[in-house]
Amino acid sequence: MKGSHKEKEGRTFEVIKSSLTLPYSLELSMALRNLVRRKIRSILATFGVVIGITTMVTLSAVSNGMSSQMVGWVRSFMGSDLVVTHTDSETFSIQENIPEDLVKRISSIDGVTSLTAELDNAATVGEVRTLVRGIRPVEELRGLTLVEGVNLLESPYDMLVGVDLKRECSLRVGDTVKISSPHSAKEFRVVGVFQSQSSLLDRAVIIRLETAQELFRAKNLVSLILVDVREPKMINEIKRQIEGLTGGVKVIRQDAIIKTIQQGKDLLETFLLSVSSISLIIAGVGIMNTMFMSMVERKREIGILKAIGLSRTQIVKIFLLESILIGVFGGLIGVLLGSIFSKAIEYVSLNYLGTSLFVSLNWGILSFGFILALLCASVFGLYPSWRAASLSPMEALRYE
Amino acid sequence: MNRWAVEAYDLVKTYGNGKVRVYALRGVDLKVKQGEIVSIVGPSGCGKSTLLNILGGIDKPTIGRVFVCGEDVTAMNEAELAHFRLKKIGIVFQFFNLIPTLTALENVELRLAASGCGNGVRKDKACELLARVGMNGKEGRKPSELSGGEQQRVAIARALANNPAVVLMDEPTGNLDSITAKDLITMIDKLNAQGQTFVIATHDSSVKESTDRVITMRDGVVIDG
Ligand SMILES: Nc1ncnc2c1ncn2[C@@H]1O[C@H](COP(=O)(O)OP(=O)(O)O)[C@@H](O)[C@H]1O
Ligand SMILES: [Mg+2]
């Protein structure tokens, strides 16, 4: 009773003191120091995780970018029920062209309500190599929204630029920019800025069809014709009629394209999942190996931990923390490298390959990668940790 | 409360199985009073370490029972044994007592932390324990930066953490570079004032002479004491 005042004072002091001490755990510093002590081995185990997570993040970013680009591409045709192209044309290559007179012949088919003809090709706009699309009629911009300026109604050398291209080249309405194709070069005036649902189009230029035909030396040719039909049930009949008009063209239903893309995306995702899981399993086995080696080397230490009274769970925690730390470091570096690689792929694709692959990096992919690294490290670290903690104290102490 | 800190009845310990069987203990009976300081002497290989390990709940006897403060150690399961070692027993081995990655202070703290002692109090307690074995000023050193004798002092401080009923020491003065018998005796006399029981395996005659009782072993049996 006598000491109670003093005791209370002491307790208050303790509370203040413990609130001042940084939250630090013995187990954590033990795990960290053990990793540092066996630098090479820890680095190798971490490296395994880094490879796995980098692969995962890069592949996800690229495949997500590709599929959203594909869907965006299709969305930019939205509103058209049928697409007519050359039989050899692939969705993503620069198109083989078809004769322009087909446009007139299709428009005379009963049930066809509207038609747009397009000519796509790559050209250099200012300094940037990108897609240039000629369209007709210009009055109706399919799937595009004009966010600034006016439509292409006046001069043949007017152009619309996508929002991304505008930003990239710091363009303004009224600016004059040179567009050069392998055949010719012309000055164009920016009259408007548009936004689409495709990252590819947002970086493209739209001009009049006749001007594009002149620029690309493609007189009387178009890449594709977008056809709208009065009633959905007429789609198949009109498709057959168009195919009957001439050989060398294929007619694709809008819904069929979307389905194909969906299938491609699923396939890509399966592939991605298997590549990532294989590399993560390899990383996990690496961690497991490291942890087993650590257990064998530290048998005596485990014996001491047991002898001084640490429980099995407490010892599991000490070892598990070590492999979780490998996961944390590997995950962080992997996510970082994955972001750098995917951006590099985008950069090379845009600037050296003349293609336009936009990767899609987002917090979802990054945090998923990090969590996966942690999960992999914990799962594969658990068994060796459990084995270490299950050694009998005598068995562990005998080892010297 | 039970007046015996340690009771062992008919302890037999054999190693190996089948044809080749080594008898480390061949029927040891032993009782140690609370607060008593006992030394166990005998030639190398007579079973001193085996006996200490069994008393400390680190090893299991093949036959026989051990009670510490009246509790049947031989009947405990793994979790109970860990808790028993944490709370009731302090143990000091001959070599390699410390966790190499932790400092002197952290080695002591680890045992306090394992019994749920909070961060702030823990540090103070560990400092105080290290001061009791004359290690103040060296709290932040790693085992590799301490001499063999200093490492043993830290191990003794750690053994005293959680205020165990029984402290077991296995040849603490046995080698070169270990704590001197004189230092050990002074330290134990001081620590014993708290009522702790000490069981020390030794072949150092000066340690032996300064304990309350000497138990002599030979070939796995107690022959005297
Ligand atoms: N793990 C073991 N396997 C086989 N024999 C052992 C083992 N541990 C100890 N022994 C034997 O048991 C006997 C007692 O050993 P120990 O208790 O270490 O004696 P002391 O500590 O008195 O030198 C010795 O003959 C020793 O060889
Ligand atoms: Mg021995």
Side-chain angles (χ1 to χ4, degrees), chain A residues 398, chain B residues 15 22 24 43-50 171:
Chain A
R398 258 206 309 277
Chain B
Y15 287 108
V22 181
S44 177
C46 70
K48 302 183 293 294
S49 299
T50 307
E171 307 198 30

